[in-house]
Amino acid sequence: MPTVVIIGAQWGDEGKGKIVDFLTEKCDYVVRFQGGCNAGHTVVVGDEKYILHLIPSGILHKNKKCIIGNGVVLDPGGLLKEIETLKNKGIEIDNNLYIAKHCHLIMPYHIAIEEQSEKKKKIGTTKKGIGPCYTDKIARNGVRMIDLLYPEILKNKIQANLEVINFLLKNLYNAESLNAEDIFNQYMNYGDKLKKYIADTDILINEAIDSGKNVLFEGAQGSLLDIDHGTYPYVTSSNTVAGGACTGAGVSPIKINSIIGVVKAYTTRVGGGPFPTEIKDELGEYIRQKGGEYGATTGRPRRCGWLDLVGLRHSVRVNGFTGLVITKLDILDGIDKLKICVGYKYGSRILEEFPKELEILENCTPVYEELPGWKESTRGIKNYENLPDNAKKYLQLIEDSLKIKIQIISTGQKRDEIIVKESPL
Ligand code: GDP
Ligand code: IMO
Ligand code: MG
């Protein structure tokens, strides 16, 4: 099975980075295909903690090719910082990183516009310029990685875009204008530093697949944050579901062998938007503290709640998961009674499917199945048989309801704190 797509099944931060890092051992290539530095993928190797934003989480292994695909929106300044941080920790980058020519670039005016629009219409974004950059991409005004190699084209695009942006900044938002010349010089400088990584990544990836290499596709964000299938407008601006791997890397759907959904053993969400199973009392705070549920990119506290099978069923459908990974099981150790949401109650109706209407999502109440917790620590358990019986029952309920096999269970932050029931590679 040479191609595996790793997807967040909830609202992000499911532990995709840890799983990608773990599976990279058996891979040759790791590809990011959407999102940008709104992502924060934490990987712990030994005593060292790494937070990857744009660079695929496979980079921590030696000699693995890491690709930033065309579907990613890339902040060159952010990427250079990330490269420097990793290099300072002894990670080899220059021989292993490739960036698609068609990656759209996040420009200072994207961040400036988002800063202002978030004041008026609060989504609770990461303020990394993601939405405005994808807006320009779809409006066909975007600046792409390859433009950094063509100064005239770059200059003209920046000037044309700033005419509109500066009008908005001045007249709509009463904010400071930006200078085209400054941005041009800054981006020419970025181009000088990044040009060695620019490549025809679609060709690289397809050649790798055709020659039987193992290729991992690393999703960012989560399926419920998908621009089409998530809780719109409280979503990110890309297709975070499995289909995004094909468009965002230039790979045919028939070349994808398996799609793994990463599910946190409970649910978290950062930013605004409906969250039916959110726990608003001290138990929510307890989980936040124990699970270290603070944004890896923004440091914001993550909202915490019970596992939601209604949302997950939707996620299973729109992704076509072939297997599941459950992470952070250890965080539930010691909780007396656990709840899993099996339906939503709205008025007199019980809903089993994730509603499309925001109004319903915001006003429904979860229907829970209660399970007894377990007292034993599951931290670091590597063998399924050694899990407490009640933990096995918790996992079994997920497997039975979603009708998808749980292939991997993560029991801690570290690489080897993991149970592999059936390896996807
Ligand atoms: P991602 O964005 O999906 O990669 O997830 P994040 O890195 O933002 O958040 C997941 C957090 O949980 C990180 O701090 C991981 O190190 C940590 N983590 C991942 N798996 C486990 C696990 O099984 N147990 C515990 N305790 N922590 C985990
Ligand atoms: P990883 O890859 C969790 C959320 C933001 C906000 C919404 C839109 O680490 O799982 P954006 O800046 O993308 O326009 O914000 O999406 N969000 C994430 N939440 N994990 C992420 O990434 C996220 N990336 C964006 O909090 O609600
Ligand atoms: Mg994250």
Side-chain angles (χ1 to χ4, degrees):
M1 288 299 216
T3 56
V4 179
V5 182
I6 305 295
I7 296 289
Q10 295 150 314
W11 279 291
D13 303 324
E14 296 88 350
K16 299 173 292 294
K18 169 179 169 164
I19 300 306
V20 168
D21 169 72
F22 175 75
L23 292 174
T24 297
E25 182 74 46
K26 292 190 174 169
C27 283
D28 308 293
Y29 286 70
V30 185
V31 184
R32 268 285 303 273
F33 54 86
Q34 47 69 233
C37 55
N38 48 350
H41 296 178
T42 312
V43 180
V44 177
V45 184
D47 294 329
E48 194 72 66
K49 179 171 154 180
Y50 304 85
I51 299 178
L52 287 316
H53 298 286
L54 274 165
I55 299 180
S57 303
I59 199 76
L60 305 178
H61 290 257
K62 285 209 172 76
N63 300 326
K64 306 290 181 173
K65 302 292 177 205
C66 288
I67 296 182
I68 299 180
N70 57 276
V72 169
V73 286
L74 187 148
D75 180 336
L79 178 62
L80 284 165
K81 273 196 205 119
E82 196 171 331
I83 290 173
E84 196 188 322
T85 307
L86 288 170
K87 280 186 176 174
N88 287 341
K89 291 186 176 186
I91 306 296
E92 164 65 43
I93 306 278
D94 290 356
N95 290 319
N96 298 328
L97 182 67
Y98 302 85
I99 304 172
K101 289 179 179 166
H102 286 180
C103 262
H104 278 253
L105 298 184
I106 295 185
M107 309 296 289
Y109 47 81
H110 293 138
I111 295 167
I113 283 287
E114 185 171 12
E115 187 80 39
Q116 298 303 326
S117 67
E118 271 291 292
K119 285 183 194 161
K120 292 200 173 210
K121 182 184 175 197
K122 203 162 166 50
I123 299 292
T125 72
T126 58
K127 297 195 182 154
K128 298 289 180 187
I130 306 295
C133 184
Y134 277 118
T135 303
D136 271 358
K137 171 177 174 171
I138 301 302
R140 294 162 292 184
N141 295 326
V143 177
R144 305 196 289 186
M145 200 66 201
I146 194 166
D147 296 331
L148 297 182
L149 306 181
Y150 296 90
E152 276 311 302
I153 296 178
L154 179 67
K155 187 176 253 172
N156 290 340
K157 281 191 175 185
I158 293 173
Q159 266 167 358
N161 286 341
L162 270 189
E163 266 179 40
V164 181
I165 299 282
N166 278 339
F167 180 85
L168 289 178
L169 285 175
K170 192 168 159 226
N171 297 303
L172 182 64
Y173 295 120
N174 202 18
E176 258 179 57
S177 304
L178 297 168
N179 182 284
E181 184 80 16
D182 291 349
I183 298 178
F184 171 72
N185 290 334
Q186 187 184 17
Y187 275 63
M188 284 302 293
N189 187 282
Y190 290 152
D192 268 351
K193 292 182 175 145
L194 291 174
K195 64 182 171 215
K196 58 175 173 268
Y197 304 114
I198 300 179
D200 285 312
T201 55
D202 55 332
I203 298 178
L204 272 179
I205 299 166
N206 279 283
E207 281 180 356
I209 297 173
D210 294 345
S211 62
K213 298 258 192 281
N214 286 349
V215 181
L216 205 56
F217 294 89
E218 175 177 6
Q221 290 77 57
S223 303
L224 302 180
L225 287 170
D226 182 276
I227 185 76
D228 286 289
H229 302 287
T231 48
Y232 191 90
Y234 298 99
V235 292
T236 191
S237 300
S238 64
N239 281 118
T240 59
V241 298
C246 296
T247 54
V251 170
S252 162
I254 60 170
K255 288 194 178 169
I256 304 296
N257 298 117
S258 46
I259 302 168
I260 307 296
V262 183
V263 177
K264 198 179 281 190
Y266 46 97
T267 313
T268 60
R269 171 161 212 175
V270 208
F275 182 178
T277 65
E278 183 167 10
I279 307 172
K280 292 185 172 151
D281 59 19
E282 57 278 13
L283 182 62
E285 184 56 33
Y286 167 83
I287 294 175
R288 179 158 40 251
Q289 293 307 328
K290 190 166 179 202
E293 298 296 354
Y294 292 88
T297 297
T298 60
R300 290 177 294 175
R302 296 174 181 155
R303 299 152 70 192
C304 298
W306 297 113
L307 192 75
D308 183 350
L309 290 176
V310 183
L312 285 172
R313 265 198 293 275
H314 172 63
S315 193
V316 165
R317 181 174 303 112
V318 295
N319 283 290
F321 293 139
T322 54
L324 298 178
V325 173
I326 307 293
T327 60
K328 304 191 95 159
L329 187 70
D330 54 299
I331 303 304
L332 299 181
D333 295 349
I335 298 177
D336 203 27
K337 278 191 189 131
L338 299 169
K339 292 183 190 178
I340 292 186
C341 170
V342 292
Y344 294 157
K345 189 168 189 305
Y346 183 69
S348 57
R349 287 190 292 152
I350 302 289
L351 311 175
E352 284 181 6
E353 297 299 348
F354 199 63
K356 302 279 186 299
E357 298 85 343
L358 202 60
E359 211 277 325
I360 299 183
L361 265 176
E362 279 169 340
N363 293 297
C364 63
T365 45
V367 179
Y368 287 117
E369 192 157 322
E370 242 183 51
L371 286 90
W374 53 91
K375 292 209 162 47
E376 305 89 324
S377 166
T378 62
R379 180 77 182 271
I381 289 185
K382 297 180 180 62
N383 191 329
Y384 180 78
E385 298 313 318
N386 295 341
L387 286 177
D389 282 344
N390 285 346
K392 287 182 190 158
K393 283 181 190 152
Y394 188 84
L395 296 170
Q396 196 63 50
L397 178 64
I398 301 172
E399 213 171 65
D400 291 347
S401 315
L402 299 177
K403 301 187 180 65
I404 314 265
K405 267 199 185 160
I406 295 172
Q407 295 185 296
I408 293 176
I409 300 146
S410 174
T411 55
Q413 275 196 304
K414 294 188 177 162
R415 237 184 218 170
D416 62 348
E417 293 178 320
I418 201 156
I419 299 168
V420 181
K421 288 181 81 185
E422 188 184 301
S423 181
L425 274 156

